[in-house]
Amino acid sequence: MRLSARVDYALRAAAELAAATESPVTSEQLARAQEIPGKFLEHILNQLRRAGLVRSQRGPVGGYWLARPPEEISLADIIRAVDGPLLGVRGERPESVDYSGAARPLQEVWIALRASERSILETVTLGHVVSGRLPAAVQQLTEDERAWITVGQS
C-alpha cells in the first residue's frame, strides 16, 4: 500500500489538531510543527473542512480545530477526505473488476486487501494516535511484522 504525500500530511496535521485542545491552530503553526509546505497544507485543510472533519475561523484568533472528538475520527475518514476510496483497482471498486483465466482470483485478493486495510484504518482513531495507545490488534500486527522482517534478514 502506498500513501500519497497528501494523505501523510493530512494525517499528521489532523494528529496535531487532535493534540491541540485549548484553542484553534493556524495553518502556519501546523505547517511548522510537521514540516509541511504551507500552500499544500491549506489545500488539505480545506478538503478536511469540506468533508466535515475540521472547522475553521478567520481572524486574529482564528485557525483550525477538529469538528468532532478525536476518538470519533478514524484514519480512514481522513484518507477518504483527501484521497478518495481506500482501495481501487484502475479507479474502480475491487468488486467491479473482472479478470479472466488464471488472473480471475486476483479480484478476491483485492477485496481481501481492502478488508484488511479497513480493519486497521477504520479502527484506529486520532484519539489512539495522540494518546500513543494503538488498538491491541494493531500492536500485534506491528510485532508480527517486526518478527517477520528480522527472520527475513537473517
Side-chain angles (χ1 to χ4, degrees):
M1 173 181 180
R2 288 182 188 253
L3 293 176
S4 67
R6 181 174 44 233
V7 166
D8 180 48
Y9 292 161
L11 291 168
R12 290 164 47 198
E16 286 293 328
L17 290 175
T21 56
E22 308 243 339
S23 61
V25 182
T26 67
S27 60
E28 293 82 16
Q29 290 170 317
L30 290 170
R32 254 193 328 275
Q34 289 297 320
E35 300 178 2
I36 301 171
K39 288 291 183 189
F40 199 24
L41 178 60
E42 287 180 25
H43 179 69
I44 290 167
L45 290 169
N46 282 331
Q47 288 179 297
L48 294 174
R49 186 179 48 75
R50 283 193 299 273
L53 300 173
V54 166
R55 291 196 178 137
S56 65
Q57 177 179 321
R58 295 179 188 236
V61 292
Y64 295 87
W65 64 93
L66 295 179
R68 301 190 313 251
E71 297 77 20
E72 295 179 16
I73 300 175
S74 72
L75 301 187
D77 293 333
I78 296 164
I79 293 170
R80 285 188 191 105
V82 298
D83 239 14
L86 292 181
L87 177 73
V89 180
R90 299 184 320 257
E92 296 181 45
R93 296 173 53 94
E95 295 85 0
S96 302
V97 176
D98 188 31
Y99 296 114
S100 57
R104 184 174 297 264
L106 285 176
Q107 179 192 38
E108 292 178 34
V109 172
W110 304 148
I111 292 169
L113 179 59
R114 185 186 59 199
S116 179
E117 285 181 356
R118 277 185 180 165
S119 72
I120 295 169
L121 297 174
E122 293 283 358
T123 304
V124 179
T125 68
L126 290 175
H128 290 118
V129 172
V130 172
S131 72
R133 292 187 303 268
L134 298 175
V138 174
Q139 290 177 348
Q140 184 62 52
L141 286 169
T142 302
E143 291 169 18
D144 292 349
E145 181 66 10
R146 285 186 183 132
W148 188 83
I149 290 171
T150 302
V151 170
Q153 291 179 348
S154 14

